[in-house]
Amino acid sequence: KNQVEQSPQSLIILEGKNCTLQCNYTVSPFSNLRWYKQDTGRGPVSLTIMTFSENTKSNGRYTATLDADTKQSSLHITASQLSDSASYICVVSAKGNNRLAFGKGNQVVVIP
Amino acid sequence: EPEVTQTPSHQVTQMGQEVILRCVPISNHLYFYWYRQILGQKVEFLVSFYNNEISEKSEIFDDQFSVERPDGSNFTLKIRSTKLEDSAMYFCASSGQGLKNTGELFFGEGSRLTVL
């Protein structure tokens, strides 16, 4: 069973609109949670990294939230642009090891 | 801006052949990783490498796979006898601090391997 579940699997949004992507995880003990953006056929690029004590972190138009009690995170994209079309991957790290648990990603398509 | 570079970008090989995927991590980084992503699926951890030795490997990383740092800059993944199911995008990544310390992880653009 995947330790990181993301929803929705895919969504289409109009340029200029906002959207929120969800990530639920079961990784324990928790160390940190990362959001990556992956353009088609490219390597993932880091957007945010959050530890247990951080509730929110922003990177430009991207804002990530973390609720470590409910083991949930969200990524909010504000005023979407065509270049936001990509897969957004939630990645969770457990304490004590070098492994990252990857979600399957949220596929976002922004249309004009 | 420093980046992780990978070669080749795409390799097509016959089943049973050996392939070597090459990576040049960011120059002052100490932690190196290989991941793979089968088309349409999630990224999977293969192996981590620190101080010239494997620090951790996944169940996928069996005897068919090996990693090497032949010199001060290159980090290679060798697949000894390729199988059809090895077809995937292989990502190299590097980190300055390691993932236990929320170190930033930088990915290369990937090497797409197609096994026929």
Side-chain angles (χ1 to χ4, degrees), chain B residues 10-17 19 21 35-42 44 46 60 64-65 77 79 81-91 111-116:
Chain B
H10 189 192
Q11 180 157 356
V12 181
T13 189
Q14 294 288 330
M15 191 169 56
Q17 295 296 305
V19 300
L21 307 179
Y35 295 86
R36 79 171 185 190
Q37 187 176 31
I38 295 170
L39 188 63
Q41 299 188 24
K42 65 184 174 78
E44 300 173 291
L46 291 177
I60 303 168
Q64 177 196 12
F65 294 90
L77 175 69
I79 309 175
S81 176
T82 51
K83 299 179 285 206
L84 294 177
E85 53 265 38
D86 293 327
S87 295
M89 183 76 98
Y90 288 81
F91 291 106
S111 293
R112 178 165 296 284
L113 176 64
T114 302
V115 182
L116 303 176

Side-chain angles (χ1 to χ4, degrees), chain B residues 26 28-31 33 50 94-99 103-106:
Chain B
I26 294 173
N28 60 345
H29 283 185
L30 301 176
Y31 299 83
Y33 309 85
Y50 171 73
S94 72
S95 174
Q97 304 169 34
L99 304 180
E104 188 74 68
L105 184 63
F106 295 86

Side-chain angles (χ1 to χ4, degrees), chain A residues 15 19 48 56 60 66 81-82 89-90 100 110:
Chain A
E15 187 179 10
C19 71
T48 61
T56 185
L66 173 64
Q81 300 177 358
L82 298 178
I89 306 173
C90 178
L100 299 177
V110 181

Side-chain angles (χ1 to χ4, degrees), chain A residues 13-43:
Chain A
I13 58 173
L14 289 174
E15 187 179 10
K17 297 296 186 183
N18 305 336
C19 71
T20 300
L21 313 175
Q22 300 291 342
C23 173
N24 297 332
Y25 63 91
T26 59
V27 174
S28 182
F30 175 81
S31 175
N32 58 78
L33 185 146
R34 305 159 188 253
W35 281 95
Y36 284 88
K37 178 186 179 188
Q38 185 180 24
D39 293 317
T40 301
R42 310 289 295 274

